[in-house]
Amino acid sequence: MTRLALRDFDAVVAVARRGSFRQAAIDLGLSTTALSHMIARIEGELGVRLFNRTTRSVALTDAGHIFVDRIGPSLLDVREAIEIVRARGQTPSGTLRINAPPFAARSALAALILEYVRRYPEVHVDVVTDGRLIDIVAEGFDLGVRVASLVPTDMIALSLGEAQRFAVVASPDYLAAHAPPRVPTDLAGHACIRVRLPDGSLYRWYFEQGAETAQIDVRGPMTIDDVTIARAAVVAGIGIGFFFEQDVIADIETGRLVRLLDDWTPAFAGLALYYPGRRHPSAGVAAFLALARELGRKA
């Protein structure tokens, strides 16, 4: 008789989702060896191989695809039932998984998480910073954070109340050798640090002044998908950079960087917490949302 536990199903779905034993093991809080043994035991119980493994890749077998396709929706229903029951408890507990872009985790989310951990020590908060626009349900997260305008329509959103701005910056050394741009189209004559988005495409710098907008496909000596390296390149005088304001505001205030095209980068919709609309929030999620509202009122 097959004896599989909920944790076993989670393991299979995690490996299928990640396509990697190592990444799935990190998500599950296991060692790679322990997860590999778990999958082998599950396959032994079922009497069929679920994954084809090589030294470089992991892929579902035909039987594995059938198993995951059938068990995935059922697993979500079971999780929802567990969340509803847990929500009846007075003390939040368990694990709260949050996905957020790095800049959001550093700014709006950091203080909220620290206060939450102080108030609810029985909850383990697992924060994953990721620039991709992921499906938080498919990736196993309880909450996500995005710019409000990017929250999917089937999600419930709670504003974090902080408007966002972009900042175009260059170092004093760079500006000593180059006339600063006065309008966005002037950037065509400058060295710019290009930004690669998580999906591999190149970001076109967006500008707005009143009813006028512009999207500039800049050119320059570097293309980077890491904000720390991009900032270092701009501070070093390599070229002009385009950042979220909070990533370079300290440099602007100390004079390491000079802000450009300020009147072309107005504030836009701030960040929002969001979660699946069809789910009943767990006690941990409900407490986190309540704390976000409380701290938002005090701000």
Side-chain angles (χ1 to χ4, degrees), residues 48-113:
V48 65
R49 183 174 290 276
L50 299 175
F51 297 97
N52 288 319
R53 307 165 177 80
T54 70
T55 56
R56 295 187 178 182
S57 65
V58 178
L60 286 166
T61 62
D62 288 342
H65 276 293
I66 294 171
F67 185 78
V68 171
D69 288 346
R70 295 294 182 91
I71 202 64
S74 299
L75 193 58
L76 287 176
D77 289 340
V78 171
R79 287 294 182 199
E80 183 176 4
I82 292 173
E83 289 170 3
I84 291 172
V85 172
R86 281 180 174 170
R88 294 181 179 274
Q90 294 184 346
T91 304
S93 61
T95 297
L96 181 69
R97 299 193 73 226
I98 305 172
N99 178 271
F103 75 89
R106 288 192 299 269
S107 55
L109 205 57
L112 176 56
I113 291 172

Side-chain angles (χ1 to χ4, degrees), residues 183-225:
V183 294
T185 52
D186 289 347
L187 291 168
H190 285 271
C192 296
I193 308 303
R194 307 181 80 190
V195 177
R196 181 180 291 110
L197 297 172
D199 64 3
S201 63
L202 294 176
Y203 180 71
R204 300 180 70 191
W205 294 10
Y206 178 81
F207 297 95
E208 179 181 341
Q209 187 181 74
E212 188 176 356
T213 64
Q215 285 187 301
I216 308 298
D217 188 9
V218 298
R219 295 288 186 269
M222 301 177 69
T223 301
I224 302 175
D225 62 1

Side-chain angles (χ1 to χ4, degrees), residues 40-171:
R41 175 180 57 76
I42 294 167
E43 290 176 329
E45 289 278 0
L46 295 173
V48 65
R49 183 174 290 276
L50 299 175
F51 297 97
N52 288 319
R53 307 165 177 80
T54 70
T55 56
R56 295 187 178 182
S57 65
V58 178
L60 286 166
T61 62
D62 288 342
H65 276 293
I66 294 171
F67 185 78
V68 171
D69 288 346
R70 295 294 182 91
I71 202 64
S74 299
L75 193 58
L76 287 176
D77 289 340
V78 171
R79 287 294 182 199
E80 183 176 4
I82 292 173
E83 289 170 3
I84 291 172
V85 172
R86 281 180 174 170
R88 294 181 179 274
Q90 294 184 346
T91 304
S93 61
T95 297
L96 181 69
R97 299 193 73 226
I98 305 172
N99 178 271
F103 75 89
R106 288 192 299 269
S107 55
L109 205 57
L112 176 56
I113 291 172
L114 293 178
E115 180 60 25
Y116 183 84
V117 170
R118 291 190 189 100
R119 294 193 187 187
Y120 304 104
E122 294 184 30
V123 180
H124 174 81
V125 180
D126 181 5
V127 181
V128 176
T129 58
D130 192 340
R132 298 175 302 145
L133 299 180
I134 69 163
D135 181 338
I136 61 169
V137 175
E139 297 282 348
F141 290 96
D142 299 295
L143 289 164
V145 179
R146 285 188 190 175
V147 172
S149 60
L150 297 178
V151 173
T153 56
D154 61 342
M155 296 284 172
I156 296 176
L158 171 65
S159 174
L160 289 174
E162 293 192 3
Q164 301 293 310
R165 284 191 74 191
F166 289 118
V168 182
V169 292
S171 71

Side-chain angles (χ1 to χ4, degrees), residues 27-51:
D27 290 347
L28 296 168
L30 301 171
S31 69
T32 304
T33 300
L35 178 58
S36 180
H37 288 164
M38 180 182 292
I39 295 298
R41 175 180 57 76
I42 294 167
E43 290 176 329
E45 289 278 0
L46 295 173
V48 65
R49 183 174 290 276
L50 299 175
F51 297 97

